[in-house]
Amino acid sequence: MKISEKHYSYILLAACLLLFFPHLDVLYANIMEARNFNTAREMLEHNNWVLTTMNGEARYEKPPLPTWLAALSAALFGITKLWALRLPSAIISTVLVLFSFSFSRKRLQLSAKQSLYASLILATSFYILFSGRNGTWDIFAHAFMLGGIYFLFQFFSSTKHKYRNTALAGLFIGLSFMSKGPVSHFALLLPFLIAYIWVFKLRTYKTRIVSFTLMILIALGLSSWWALAIYFGDSDTATAIADKEATAWANRNTRPFYYYWSFFTQSGIWTIPAFVSLLYPYLKTRVANLKAYRFSLIWTLAAVVLLSCIPEKKSRYLLPVLIPLALNTSFYIEYLVRRFSVLKDKRETFPVFFNF
């Protein structure tokens, strides 16, 4: 049965509902969630919405947007319900997947089927699936950042609706900062800019300086207001925490540069296709859209290299890499769907049978 393209969004929505929402209260809260949920509880009990606290002490290490959302969900459904505290993560993960589909289809002009493949790969990648059912900050930062990238790409590639695109890009980039500081700016936005400039080049923007400035101002305004609020409201504590956090990346959980080189394994069931999708000499003559494939490959590899330059390394920090990696993997999957019936070389068919 042939499925109409207009139904693909419904397929993705149904997949997200099945993947992210059922049984959100089955697993016990981990230590990262506990910090978030305790802060959310104290927001509701003590009205500490700006000068956030945990166990009565200042908790300024992370911006409060995900905690606000957890607190609002708890206010609606009950602070004792674990599923209510995790519900915002499931919702924002669904938004991430839908943004991924629109980015592939509308911005990169990939086929509807390949865009569907990319989004389903993203939704079922291990760390995306885990984060979507977990009440921590990372998934919010990267979902909002992909929204910012979605509108920024349109601003770069078209002169239409430039103020709308830059305003929305600034909004989402600012919301990303309010979710986990500059993490996604470094791990997702900067690699995107590197890939875009490398593959698509930048046009002259002399006539769009005002609209670009609007984006910067909106992003800066959203990103800085909370930091200014806690600085003027509790300057000594805010300064001490900022100093501690500034040195954390260099002193805690330090790992060698090559620690992330197995990054593709974080996609879980897509490990082998993800690895094959990185083999540019093999795929460059097989993909349907070589320029878009180069873009996704450079975006992925740039993210890994930049993260590798930071001394502090944890497996969960690879979460933003999975976003361009899912897109990159879709080029290989699209090739297999299109050509597998005529493939004769066992070197090409073996990875498929081994993985699936």
Side-chain angles (χ1 to χ4, degrees):
M1 182 180 70
K2 187 175 181 180
I3 301 175
S4 172
E5 179 182 341
K6 66 181 181 181
H7 294 132
Y8 285 2
S9 295
Y10 298 114
I11 293 173
L12 285 174
L13 185 59
C16 290
L17 289 174
L18 291 172
L19 289 167
F20 298 126
F21 290 84
H23 306 298
L24 283 175
D25 55 353
V26 170
L27 296 178
Y28 290 111
N30 59 50
I31 188 170
M32 298 300 293
E33 286 184 293
R35 293 169 180 169
N36 192 21
F37 297 161
N38 279 338
T39 302
R41 174 177 54 80
E42 292 181 25
M43 285 178 177
L44 295 174
E45 292 179 353
H46 306 298
N47 207 31
N48 298 335
W49 293 89
V50 177
L51 299 180
T52 51
T53 60
M54 184 178 71
N55 298 325
E57 297 183 357
R59 174 67 179 168
Y60 305 149
E61 284 82 355
K62 300 289 189 297
L65 180 54
T67 314
W68 287 343
L69 296 174
L72 290 173
S73 181
L76 287 173
F77 302 110
I79 190 63
T80 61
K81 293 181 172 62
L82 185 56
W83 67 265
L85 291 162
R86 287 172 170 163
L87 182 61
S89 294
I91 294 172
I92 199 65
S93 298
T94 303
V95 172
L96 171 68
V97 172
L98 294 176
F99 259 132
S100 170
F101 178 77
S102 292
F103 182 82
S104 301
R105 184 72 179 116
K106 296 180 180 180
R107 298 299 179 253
L108 292 180
Q109 301 294 309
L110 301 181
S111 70
K113 284 187 177 180
Q114 184 177 345
S115 300
L116 180 66
Y117 302 155
S119 301
L120 288 174
I121 291 168
L122 181 64
T124 52
S125 293
F126 167 68
Y127 242 102
I128 297 292
L129 184 57
F130 176 79
S131 298
R133 301 177 57 83
N134 196 276
T136 53
W137 303 267
D138 302 72
I139 195 69
F140 292 90
H142 304 311
F144 285 129
M145 183 56 74
L146 185 60
I149 288 171
Y150 176 84
F151 291 105
L152 186 59
F153 190 104
Q154 184 66 5
F155 170 72
F156 284 158
S157 58
S158 173
T159 57
K160 294 181 179 179
H161 308 298
K162 57 185 179 181
Y163 287 102
R164 184 195 68 181
N165 288 325
T166 52
L168 289 171
L171 172 65
F172 280 104
I173 291 171
L175 292 175
S176 175
F177 192 96
M178 281 296 295
S179 298
K180 205 181 178 182
V183 170
S184 199
H185 298 62
F186 182 78
L188 194 59
L189 177 60
L190 181 56
F192 160 77
L193 292 173
I194 292 171
Y196 188 94
I197 293 170
W198 190 315
V199 175
F200 298 108
K201 315 302 180 187
L202 283 177
R203 303 176 183 179
T204 178
Y205 291 104
K206 291 181 179 179
T207 60
R208 291 189 276 175
I209 292 177
V210 175
S211 55
F212 187 77
T213 303
L214 174 65
M215 181 191 74
I216 299 296
L217 291 175
I218 292 174
L220 284 176
L222 279 172
S223 302
S224 61
W225 80 266
W226 180 73
L228 292 172
I230 62 172
Y231 178 77
F232 288 110
D234 189 6
S235 59
D236 291 340
T237 306
T239 301
I241 291 175
D243 290 341
K244 182 183 71 173
E245 289 295 302
T247 60
W249 280 18
N251 300 324
R252 293 190 309 208
N253 299 298
T254 57
R255 300 287 189 273
F257 181 82
Y258 56 81
Y259 182 76
Y260 287 143
W261 287 5
S262 61
F263 65 93
F264 48 87
T265 62
Q266 298 300 325
S267 60
I269 61 172
W270 301 104
T271 293
I272 293 176
F275 174 75
V276 175
S277 75
L278 300 171
L279 304 178
Y280 179 77
Y282 167 68
L283 277 181
K284 67 179 182 179
T285 58
R286 293 170 170 83
V287 296
N289 187 327
L290 180 58
K291 197 170 189 178
Y293 170 61
R294 285 175 177 164
F295 167 74
S296 67
L297 180 63
I298 295 170
W299 189 4
T300 302
L301 296 179
V304 175
V305 171
L306 288 173
L307 285 170
S308 297
C309 294
I310 303 299
E312 184 186 19
K313 296 179 177 67
K314 296 179 182 179
S315 296
R316 63 185 175 87
Y317 291 172
L318 285 171
L319 178 64
V321 177
L322 297 179
I323 296 172
L325 181 61
L327 175 61
N328 201 64
T329 306
S330 73
F331 286 95
Y332 176 52
I333 298 299
E334 188 277 335
Y335 164 68
L336 290 177
V337 172
R338 175 167 43 88
R339 297 287 298 168
F340 190 76
S341 62
V342 298
L343 292 180
K344 304 299 182 183
D345 192 333
K346 290 184 178 180
R347 291 174 297 179
E348 289 198 88
T349 58
F350 175 75
V352 180
F353 291 121
F354 182 81
N355 191 80
F356 299 107

